[in-house]
Amino acid sequence: MLLDKVIGGYLDHLFEGWEPWMISLASSCATVILIISYNFLFQDESLFLRAKKFVLRNARRIPAVRNKISQEFDVSKKRMENELMAPTRNLGSIRALPQSRSAEEVLALAKKYKETESADWSKLSGAIYSGSDEITKLSTSIYPMFAWSNPLHPDVFPSVRHMESEVVRMCCTMFNGDEKTCGSMTSGGTESIFMACKAYRDYALARGIKKPVMVVPVTAHAAFEKSADYLCMGVRKIPMDSTTCQVNLRAMKKAIDGRTCMLVGSAPHFPHGIIDQIGEISALGLKYKIPVHVDSCLGGFLIPFMEKAGYPLELFDFRLEGVTSISADTHKYGYAPKGSSVILYRNHTYLHHQYSVTPDWPGGIYASPTMSGSRVGASIASAWSVMLYMGEDGYVKATKETIETTRKIKEALKKMKNIYILGDPLVSVIAVGSKDFNVYLLSDAMSARGWHLNALQFPSSIHVCITKRHTKPGVAEKFLQELQECITNIMENPPKEDTGMAAIYGLAQSIPDRTIISEMAWAYLDSCVALPGSGS
Ligand SMILES: *Cc1c(COP(=O)(O)O)cnc(C)c1O
Ligand SMILES: *[C@@H]1O[C@H](CO)[C@@H](O)[C@H](O)[C@H]1NC(C)=O
């Protein structure tokens, strides 16, 4: 992914300038060499690691070191911006409102912008889950009918109000809820997760818990930590079992205390595509009277159909008594265009804590169910239309094809030498690692052939997220063939030293001071909204 690549370029450069200069600091010299060598990736937080952290953190307090870092940052930031802007370099940039143009002119310009995108969708990992011509046509026909609609005004737009209710109800049924099950539509998975965290924070506060803490597997989506950050909640991260890649239940149980406001399990999680032990987490929730959220953002429109598609799973939904909420993304395997997701609760007790009400506002009594005020009615209408178009049979068929393709790829990967699969993925994501070579060399090699794979860390691995695009004839075969060729190449001609992503990922994981990584990510985000030469 781009962020990884960009941070990579950054790190690469940052550390380039360090070594000769740091050598003059005799006391720090040894430490810096240690930082630059990344052969000690998976050590626990030993005295050694803590010492490294300490030295690095304090080295950054020395003004000369700080200046040096800041200089390198500036140079690296420029490089990063150049890389991000390269595809649109020739478009010029609009910096102030222009003289008005005709609609034809604007459309022609948009077309020119669009031509800078060239990715082959069948070579992506996730990102575009269907994007079929039929669904594109349906969504773009629905859009103009609802472009101005806003669920904030249900009296003006009763149609969209009704559609949202139907989408929520269809999802409640998919996840085996009853007549009490309820929920909302949101703008995406992150907002769905955010709303669940907000609901459980306020539910805990109402029960007298002073500083609510969420108990979350490390493999759960980053949106949980992000929500905790926004909502001033505590987080206890629970390690995964290194063999199954499921959450370590014993550690989860031990982490529960009087401040725990929610337990989380994923079905499946993003990194390795593994479904946590939802049944056991649900039981923990019941035993300790703590709500349980099941994050099914990724798999929410696959796993409910897997039994009918011939791939039965253990229970993961409202049939488990302890499960109090489920998030599912209509804009992933629901195949709707981007901008919609669903959050469901066992009953209104939880949903009410999601709501926000401002009773005394001079603008009126203001009540809204989710983050947004005005909401995009057209997103709701698009999701609704795609769900009706697909129908249950359509989703079962799509699930069958997607899982069939994934299982075929999984079996072939199992047979390949020099790589191994992390855990036993049952849905649509497969992560691989290697004991024989730096696995990021493999994503580098595949990316040179146009295939996008996701780089994972802790442990070093990469994954592919299989979508409807990969089920087309020949795509899986081509993927496997090119992957095997890349592995063979790497094994036959092992690089003397790692370059590109391979070097960078090792380095990024070995830097003990994570604030450096955060600062680089800020610069990356800055670059995402920069124009050429804007000096911002
Ligand atoms: C994608 C994803 C999310 C977040 O969804 P967004 O729509 O990107 O905000 C949450 N959880 C899992 C498991 C996901 O794969
Ligand atoms: C909702 O479910 C919880 C248990 O998960 C229960 O304690 C609560 O009373 C229920 N509320 C309603 C309105 O049924």
Side-chain angles (χ1 to χ4, degrees):
M1 292 277 120
L2 194 55
L3 172 62
D4 309 328
K5 198 162 156 233
V6 155
I7 286 185
Y10 218 179
L11 277 177
D12 212 16
H13 194 78
L14 180 66
F15 281 86
E16 245 170 47
W18 264 44
E19 206 178 301
W21 176 82
M22 286 300 269
I23 284 166
S24 67
L25 266 186
S27 62
S28 308
C29 167
T31 314
V32 172
I33 290 165
L34 287 177
I35 291 161
I36 292 172
S37 71
Y38 35 84
N39 299 325
F40 38 71
L41 283 188
F42 305 123
Q43 302 193 4
D44 287 321
E45 180 122 347
S46 58
L47 195 64
F48 175 63
L49 184 64
R50 273 175 281 152
K52 278 197 302 177
K53 272 189 188 175
F54 177 82
V55 171
L56 190 63
R57 210 176 295 132
N58 286 287
R60 276 154 55 84
R61 294 220 178 109
I62 304 166
V65 177
R66 215 170 37 231
N67 291 342
K68 180 72 180 168
I69 291 180
S70 129
Q71 268 173 29
E72 295 294 349
F73 259 56
D74 291 345
V75 175
S76 303
K77 188 174 172 188
K78 272 273 143 348
R79 282 216 313 210
M80 175 160 63
E81 280 183 4
N82 285 337
E83 191 168 338
L84 283 168
M85 291 171 193
T88 51
R89 179 67 64 195
N90 297 324
L91 294 176
S93 44
I94 300 167
R95 288 162 185 282
L97 279 171
Q99 281 296 312
S100 72
R101 302 181 188 186
S102 70
E104 288 73 28
E105 280 176 299
V106 176
L107 283 172
L109 186 61
K111 221 166 169 178
K112 220 173 104 195
Y113 282 27
K114 183 70 191 165
E115 278 162 11
T116 61
E117 293 169 19
S118 60
D120 176 351
W121 290 356
S122 68
K123 289 184 161 184
L124 297 175
S125 166
I128 291 169
Y129 291 81
S130 162
S132 73
D133 292 343
E134 298 79 28
I135 291 178
T136 305
K137 190 152 172 259
L138 173 63
S139 315
T140 50
S141 313
I142 283 283
Y143 197 93
M145 296 165 67
F146 298 95
W148 308 105
S149 68
N150 179 357
L152 189 62
H153 309 294
D155 49 340
V156 188
F157 305 106
S159 52
V160 164
R161 188 208 69 77
H162 193 61
M163 284 171 168
E164 177 173 13
S165 307
E166 289 187 336
V167 169
V168 168
R169 188 51 44 198
M170 285 190 278
C171 291
C172 291
T173 309
M174 267 165 54
F175 286 100
N176 293 293
D178 55 22
E179 71 288 348
K180 283 185 168 172
T181 319
C182 51
S184 312
M185 286 189 76
T186 65
S187 62
T190 298
E191 192 185 353
S192 290
I193 288 169
F194 181 89
M195 294 327 304
C197 295
K198 191 268 185 202
Y200 294 139
R201 183 197 66 174
D202 289 1
Y203 181 65
L205 289 172
R207 293 195 301 169
I209 296 173
K210 286 280 179 318
K211 189 173 190 312
V213 175
M214 56 174 83
V215 170
V216 183
V218 283
T219 49
H221 197 271
F224 288 97
E225 234 181 300
K226 177 175 174 178
S227 301
D229 182 20
Y230 280 29
L231 292 162
C232 297
M233 296 167 75
V235 189
R236 288 189 89 162
K237 286 194 266 183
I238 310 303
M240 69 173 188
D241 179 289
S242 58
T243 312
T244 63
C245 298
Q246 290 182 312
V247 65
N248 179 332
L249 279 173
R250 273 224 314 256
M252 179 172 259
K253 185 171 173 195
K254 261 174 71 181
I256 294 173
D257 63 18
R259 296 197 307 167
T260 308
C261 71
M262 65 189 284
L263 305 177
V264 174
S266 308
H269 59 64
F270 173 84
H272 321 113
I274 303 294
I275 304 179
D276 287 318
Q277 309 88 312
I278 307 298
E280 282 87 344
I281 299 173
S282 160
L284 280 178
L286 279 182
K287 180 169 175 199
Y288 295 102
K289 297 194 167 48
I290 299 167
V292 173
H293 180 78
V294 174
D295 178 19
S296 203
C297 281
L298 183 59
F301 281 77
L302 292 172
I303 55 172
F305 308 111
M306 278 184 66
E307 188 163 352
K308 286 203 170 132
Y311 301 99
L313 297 170
E314 284 178 30
L315 296 189
F316 50 79
D317 59 20
F318 289 117
R319 284 172 290 182
L320 295 166
E321 222 185 309
V323 171
T324 50
S325 58
I326 298 175
S327 49
D329 282 0
T330 38
H331 73 189
K332 283 186 175 164
Y333 289 97
Y335 304 131
K338 286 298 168 208
S340 67
S341 170
V342 174
I343 172 71
L344 307 173
Y345 297 91
R346 176 166 291 280
N347 65 42
H348 282 89
T349 304
Y350 305 111
L351 178 60
H352 288 173
H353 287 287
Q354 173 188 298
Y355 292 159
S356 171
V357 182
T358 312
D360 303 330
W361 186 41
I365 301 168
Y366 191 90
S368 51
T370 57
M371 260 304 250
S372 317
S374 290
R375 289 195 293 152
V376 185
S379 284
I380 292 169
S382 300
W384 175 88
S385 70
V386 176
M387 284 177 74
L388 297 191
Y389 172 77
M390 291 296 297
E392 196 196 26
D393 49 334
Y395 282 122
V396 170
K397 183 163 174 285
T399 300
K400 190 165 188 302
E401 290 169 3
T402 306
I403 303 302
E404 240 166 43
T405 305
T406 314
R407 296 286 165 100
K408 186 163 76 185
I409 291 174
K410 179 175 150 185
E411 288 314 309
L413 292 177
K414 267 191 198 162
K415 294 203 188 87
M416 287 186 189
K417 293 206 180 66
N418 313 115
I419 56 167
Y420 65 93
I421 296 178
L422 284 93
D424 182 26
L426 299 177
V427 197
S428 62
V429 168
I430 309 174
V432 299
S434 173
K435 295 192 166 78
D436 302 332
F437 60 90
N438 179 335
V439 75
Y440 304 121
L441 289 171
L442 185 53
S443 48
D444 281 348
M446 286 296 273
S447 127
R449 294 167 180 240
W451 293 95
H452 293 240
L453 297 172
N454 297 74
L456 314 169
Q457 53 178 352
F458 310 117
S460 297
S461 44
I462 56 178
H463 89 201
V464 59
C465 175
I466 303 301
T467 67
K468 208 66 170 57
R469 316 290 306 185
H470 299 100
T471 66
K472 304 231 155 67
V475 175
E477 288 75 11
K478 182 105 176 98
F479 171 76
L480 288 166
Q481 183 209 327
E482 299 215 37
L483 196 79
Q484 181 59 70
E485 284 170 16
C486 290
I487 295 171
T488 310
N489 282 345
I490 294 167
M491 289 307 292
E492 281 175 2
N493 313 299
K496 291 220 175 44
E497 70 187 278
D498 295 336
T499 55
M501 288 303 297
I504 281 142
Y505 252 85
L507 185 57
Q509 287 178 89
S510 70
I511 292 179
D513 183 356
R514 307 309 286 171
T515 58
I516 291 189
I517 307 280
S518 298
E519 283 163 27
M520 288 169 192
W522 293 350
Y524 159 76
L525 294 174
D526 289 346
S527 299
C528 286
V529 283
L531 282 171
S534 60
S536 63

